[in-house]
Amino acid sequence: MSDIWDIYALKYAERNSRTRADSFLFDDDHASPHDMDYFIWVLRSGDQTILVDTGYDIDEAAARNRPVLQSPAQMLRGFGLDPAGVETIILTHLHYDHAGSLKEFPTANLHVQAREMAFATGPCMCHDVLRMPFTGDHVCDMVRALYAGRVSFAEGSAEIAPGVETHLIGGHSSGLQVVRVRTRRGWVVLASDSSHYYENFLKGKLFPIVVDSADMLAGFDRLRDLADSEAHIIPGHDPLVRRLYPGLSADRDDIVVLSADPLTGL
């Protein structure tokens, strides 16, 4: 069994009507436009496949008025993966855009931090501002999966497979975890929402949706500790990712190869 993985980022949605005020809590230019991409990630090694996050589906897109370009399930089918056959999913956290469409993956084992499950089902959800990034139906899908014996909990760090690790960061959500992956170019870290953009961790800027500011700031240093270099850290929503990494084919950039060397420097 190989411990060297390929990583693919699949862009399924975008929001291009945002400003920098939506991305940075403290900034000297809150008015300028600031686009956001939405990704899911596929890890492959030989005949092994691991999905990182499940995105949000058409129903959620309508409910939040945030259209998708393709549903994550559609994208995966176009990529050659049957969602119903996916066996292993890492959920970085349970916000709507990372743990939606779980019903498309009826047999997958779901890996999540115990702290995140407790947060999403506990008294903090009495507060509108903390509950806003979650969707009740998605959390209920997690509970159903738990009672079906399909949820595995981590408390801190865990090895999901040789060459694939999860590490608790927190900050943006109480139990947010990142994914550390051994690739042919070294250890790459899928930061997910521990750093939405390169600018977050490179300049120490907080994202406005934050449960614990100290955890988010400490998380930027933790990303550097886990990755082989800053060029091995992949932020969760930055359109720059699609310009830095090669596309799966020459005529499209909605699927890029993160295990390849970046095309340019940061």
Side-chain angles (χ1 to χ4, degrees), residues 66-77:
R66 296 180 179 182
V68 294
L69 302 171
Q70 288 188 76
S71 74
Q74 287 175 314
M75 283 214 75
L76 288 171
R77 291 186 187 101

Side-chain angles (χ1 to χ4, degrees), residues 178-190:
V178 301
V179 185
R180 185 175 188 241
V181 185
R182 188 190 298 275
T183 72
R184 60 183 180 272
R185 70 182 183 100
W187 284 104
V188 171
V189 176
L190 297 177

Side-chain angles (χ1 to χ4, degrees), residues 17-83:
S17 58
R18 304 171 73 260
T19 67
R20 289 179 63 86
D22 299 309
S23 300
F24 306 111
L25 191 58
F26 303 107
D27 192 62
D28 57 3
D29 178 17
H30 269 165
S32 292
H34 205 247
D35 296 348
M36 174 176 275
D37 282 356
Y38 291 78
F39 298 98
I40 56 175
W41 300 272
V42 174
L43 315 181
R44 277 182 167 168
S45 178
D47 60 359
Q48 302 175 88
T49 298
I50 297 174
L51 177 64
V52 179
D53 289 342
T54 59
Y56 65 92
D57 58 17
I58 302 298
D59 291 341
E60 189 71 14
R64 291 185 181 258
N65 193 27
R66 296 180 179 182
V68 294
L69 302 171
Q70 288 188 76
S71 74
Q74 287 175 314
M75 283 214 75
L76 288 171
R77 291 186 187 101
F79 189 65
L81 285 177
D82 176 9

Side-chain angles (χ1 to χ4, degrees), residues 95 115 119 168-176 193-194 206-207 209-217 219:
H95 285 178
R115 181 169 158 182
F119 182 60
L168 176 65
I169 295 283
H172 175 66
S173 188
S174 182
L176 184 145
D193 289 3
S194 68
L206 294 171
F207 191 79
I209 299 176
V210 55
V211 171
D212 190 309
S213 297
D215 278 353
M216 184 177 283
L217 290 168

Side-chain angles (χ1 to χ4, degrees), residues 42-151:
V42 174
L43 315 181
R44 277 182 167 168
S45 178
D47 60 359
Q48 302 175 88
T49 298
I50 297 174
L51 177 64
V52 179
D53 289 342
T54 59
Y56 65 92
D57 58 17
I58 302 298
D59 291 341
E60 189 71 14
R64 291 185 181 258
N65 193 27
R66 296 180 179 182
V68 294
L69 302 171
Q70 288 188 76
S71 74
Q74 287 175 314
M75 283 214 75
L76 288 171
R77 291 186 187 101
F79 189 65
L81 285 177
D82 176 9
V86 172
E87 296 180 354
T88 303
I89 297 175
I90 298 170
L91 295 171
T92 61
H93 57 304
L94 298 182
H95 285 178
Y96 80 95
D97 55 324
H98 292 262
S101 66
L102 287 173
K103 291 178 181 177
E104 299 280 359
F105 308 91
T107 63
N109 190 56
L110 310 176
H111 294 265
V112 69
Q113 289 285 331
R115 181 169 158 182
E116 181 71 358
M117 192 75 165
F119 182 60
T121 57
C124 286
M125 294 299 101
C126 296
H127 302 287
D128 290 346
V129 68
L130 296 178
R131 189 175 63 244
M132 180 272 294
F134 296 89
T135 293
D137 285 345
H138 301 164
V139 177
C140 288
D141 287 338
M142 281 294 299
V143 173
R144 292 185 188 98
L146 172 62
Y147 275 79
R150 296 194 294 110
V151 177

